[in-house]
Amino acid sequence: MDRLKIEGGYPLNGEITISGAKNAALPLMCAALLAADSLVLKNVPELHDIASLVALLENMGAGVTRTGAQLAIDAASVNSTTAPYDLVRKMRASVLVLGPLLARFGTAKVSLPGGCAIGTRPVDLHIEGLRKMGAEIELKDGYIHARAPQGRLRGAEITFRTKSVGATENLLMAATLAEGRTVLHNAALEPEITDLADCLIAMGAKISGTDTETLEITGVEKLAGATHNVIPDRIETGTYAIAAAMTGGEVVLKGARLDHLEALVPVLEAAGVCLKDDGNGNVTVTRKGNTLNAVDITTAPYPGFPTDLQAQAMAMLTIAEGAGTVKETIFENRFMHVPELARMGADIAVHGSSAVVRGVPRLKGAEVMATDLRASVSLILAALAADGTTIVNRIYHLDRGYEKLEHKLGACGAKLERIAA
Ligand code: EPU
């Protein structure tokens, strides 16, 4: 397994181009299943998670062609509506093929994704919603067996018990081809959902209420192909903004959208970070003084503070002045970076879903273990700001979600090297 060796203590200076958002691209790729024409997605990052979904779509018979950052998906030739365990277990967002398959073909057999390192991550909301739309669903042998009687889902009024990004996406896609009107109440508000709705509308879907908690969809007979540009990755943007803040220096994030990071901006400003947006997608990040201040963070569904930036923010607090608290409200096991940060000298006390982080003047390089995507990158951030050398083991997690990370950080003066297994 590859490892990353990082020599800490060098301020980042330079430009980083932000990639297309992984979590927008994945549902958009599943939306291609809704039409028999080609869906062309631009600004698709080259990541393991994207490759896993390409493999799944190809396994179902779709034609997928990548040309640089463009992905053309032709689902005219789909001849299987099964998403097998071996492909789904690699990437849980694969469950997002369920709604589109059921909507277009009236049948689907999709492996249950199972839990992952950060939590149990059930898909009950996806299943309940589809049942309300008339689907007959049986859970058997680790698979979701779903069927739409008479081949077509029916519009329904669905209220989500809790906000779920994936369930909102799955049902939004399913409803576009259902008979009649669907209303999704308490829908999640993440920008990736609006991006999906925009693409579906370009494909001919009738959706109103985008960017609100109530999405109204009037089903159509069929959708057509379209060309769609994936939004920039807000989590990658936030990650590199925190990297710049922790190391000092000046980094320009190109192609970034701060309007998708409304909860992070005030947190960074309170911590002593200056963010200048030129209005053309260039965001310059600098530190106001030599040190950072402690802040308090509570994760919440959008527009709250993203759980996907919690680990990175915690890494920042480990070297801030004073004590800050971090409360995780979305996933039950998302503090796995804590013992690893502690190996580097961080002072963190965990009490249930909250942590108190007391800043130390300097972290020290150590050998650490990556456990999931965002935890891994928090260790990289800590290593960049630490004295000495850090070895991060199991960095395959990073390749799932950060495009060209070594190249992007290296171009800004970071000293890091991948050690092949
Ligand atoms: N939940 C249920 N039942 C469901 C679905 C969700 O109880 O049927 C719970 C989850 O267990 C969790 C909460 O609802 O406690 C929110 O989960 P959500 O469904 O919103 O998450 P997701 O769609 O599985 C997406 C991102 C995650 C991100 C979360 C929260 C994608 C592909 N994944 O997951 O991204 O953390 O939303 O914002 O969009 C990552 O990129 O590292 C990552 C984990």
Side-chain angles (χ1 to χ4, degrees):
M1 274 180 251
D2 287 5
R3 304 184 297 162
L4 208 57
K5 181 178 171 193
I6 301 160
E7 208 63 58
Y10 296 92
L12 294 180
N13 279 296
E15 292 180 355
I16 294 179
T17 300
I18 299 304
S19 298
K22 165 180 84 80
N23 289 350
L26 293 170
L28 286 165
M29 290 165 68
C30 296
L33 291 170
L34 289 162
D37 303 324
S38 181
L39 177 66
V40 177
L41 298 173
K42 296 183 167 195
N43 202 26
V44 178
E46 273 197 73
L47 299 167
H48 281 186
D49 276 8
I50 301 287
S52 299
L53 188 53
V54 167
L56 175 60
L57 295 173
E58 285 178 337
N59 189 260
M60 294 192 296
V64 185
T65 317
R66 187 183 262 282
T67 319
Q70 180 175 301
L71 212 58
I73 306 171
D74 185 348
S77 48
V78 167
N79 52 19
S80 158
T81 52
T82 298
Y85 174 68
D86 269 352
L87 293 171
V88 175
R89 77 182 163 84
K90 289 197 182 135
M91 215 271 300
R92 3 177 32 267
S94 304
V95 76
L96 295 176
V97 300
L98 177 62
L101 285 176
L102 201 47
R104 179 160 153 229
F105 300 100
T107 178
K109 179 182 166 192
V110 177
S111 169
L112 280 162
C116 82
I118 61 176
T120 50
R121 307 186 73 179
V123 288
D124 53 325
L125 298 172
H126 304 232
I127 291 168
E128 279 169 31
L130 289 169
R131 280 192 172 131
K132 280 216 147 171
M133 296 179 76
E136 287 168 358
I137 299 183
E138 209 187 342
L139 303 181
K140 206 174 60 186
D141 311 324
Y143 278 82
I144 305 164
H145 298 257
R147 207 176 65 84
Q150 283 96 48
R152 197 170 179 198
L153 294 169
R154 292 191 306 268
E157 191 99 11
I158 296 161
T159 304
F160 295 112
R161 265 177 280 119
T162 71
K163 280 212 160 61
S164 160
V165 177
T168 303
E169 292 167 343
N170 230 340
L171 290 168
L172 173 62
M173 290 190 279
T176 59
L177 291 180
E179 195 181 339
R181 180 169 157 271
T182 299
V183 186
L184 303 178
H185 297 279
N186 197 25
L189 291 166
E190 271 68 3
E192 291 76 18
I193 293 167
T194 302
D195 202 34
L196 174 63
D198 288 344
C199 177
L200 292 169
I201 291 167
M203 292 168 77
K206 292 202 164 34
I207 301 170
S208 64
T210 46
D211 265 335
T212 76
E213 290 176 342
T214 310
L215 292 170
E216 276 193 46
I217 307 108
T218 305
V220 294
E221 291 282 336
K222 66 179 198 171
L223 294 180
T227 298
H228 180 83
N229 212 12
V230 179
I231 53 170
D233 197 313
R234 63 194 167 98
I235 305 302
E236 189 195 29
T237 305
T239 301
Y240 290 130
I242 294 172
M246 287 176 70
T247 60
E250 181 173 311
V251 174
V252 181
L253 303 173
K254 298 187 80 73
R257 280 190 64 169
L258 279 194
D259 59 322
H260 289 167
L261 282 165
E262 276 173 50
L264 177 71
V265 171
V267 164
L268 286 181
E269 281 171 349
V273 183
C274 185
L275 297 150
K276 272 203 201 101
D277 190 343
D278 75 353
N280 289 317
N282 300 307
V283 175
T284 305
V285 187
T286 49
R287 203 156 73 185
K288 288 177 195 151
N290 284 333
T291 54
L292 294 165
N293 313 314
V295 282
D296 297 326
I297 292 157
T298 300
T299 64
Y302 194 85
F305 193 93
T307 173
D308 289 345
L309 283 172
Q310 180 258 106
Q312 300 89 315
M314 190 186 285
M316 179 178 82
L317 292 184
T318 64
I319 54 162
E321 271 188 13
T325 56
V326 176
K327 189 164 168 49
E328 171 60 51
T329 71
I330 308 291
F331 292 112
E332 63 271 26
N333 192 27
R334 220 173 190 184
F335 280 152
M336 280 172 306
H337 40 287
V338 170
E340 304 304 310
L341 290 170
R343 291 179 60 75
M344 301 177 70
D347 180 352
I348 307 168
V350 174
H351 310 278
S353 59
S354 295
V356 177
V357 189
R358 291 187 175 76
V360 296
R362 304 287 301 172
L363 294 174
K364 282 224 160 39
E367 186 148 356
V368 290
M369 189 81 81
T371 48
D372 80 87
L373 173 59
R374 311 302 174 187
S376 319
V377 88
S378 78
L379 302 177
I380 309 277
L381 302 187
L384 292 172
D387 290 332
T389 307
T390 296
I391 306 276
V392 184
N393 289 291
R394 298 200 178 162
I395 52 154
Y396 58 85
H397 291 289
L398 279 177
D399 300 327
R400 297 186 58 171
Y402 285 93
E403 191 179 40
K404 301 190 182 87
L405 174 120
E406 295 122 275
H407 172 82
K408 289 185 183 188
L409 287 172
C412 291
K415 306 269 179 270
L416 68 181
E417 181 193 347
R418 186 179 285 248
I419 307 168

